[in-house]
Amino acid sequence: MRRSRALSKAYTFAGLSAATVLLAFPFYWMVVTSLMGAEDLAAYPPRWLPTHAAWENYVAAWRAAPFGRFYVNSI
């Protein structure tokens, strides 16, 4: 009885861990690809980490649209 309960908890933990990885992966991929340069995005097979963090992507995105105005309008 005790062994089956421990086994049940182990299976539950394994299932929840797998679900966590599955659900967290899109967020990880979103952040990683936002930091990639064009050469990393076009690489095949895809890279799991950027070769260098392209923080200028965030600056370019901020300048591409009036996000400050959008933020004020949302408030």
Side-chain angles (χ1 to χ4, degrees):
M1 181 75 144
R2 189 171 170 109
R3 181 178 172 160
S4 69
R5 186 173 189 145
L7 193 56
S8 174
K9 283 186 177 185
Y11 284 138
T12 301
F13 182 76
L16 290 173
S17 296
T20 300
V21 169
L22 186 66
L23 293 173
F25 180 75
F27 296 105
Y28 164 78
W29 193 248
M30 177 179 60
V31 171
V32 167
T33 56
S34 73
L35 292 171
M36 286 185 181
E39 66 281 351
D40 288 336
L41 288 172
Y44 184 80
R47 296 188 175 125
W48 293 100
L49 293 171
T51 54
H52 73 281
W55 293 102
E56 62 271 7
N57 292 344
Y58 287 99
V59 174
W62 189 263
R63 290 182 180 156
F67 286 106
R69 171 55 59 193
F70 296 161
Y71 182 70
V72 170
N73 288 345
S74 296
I75 291 175

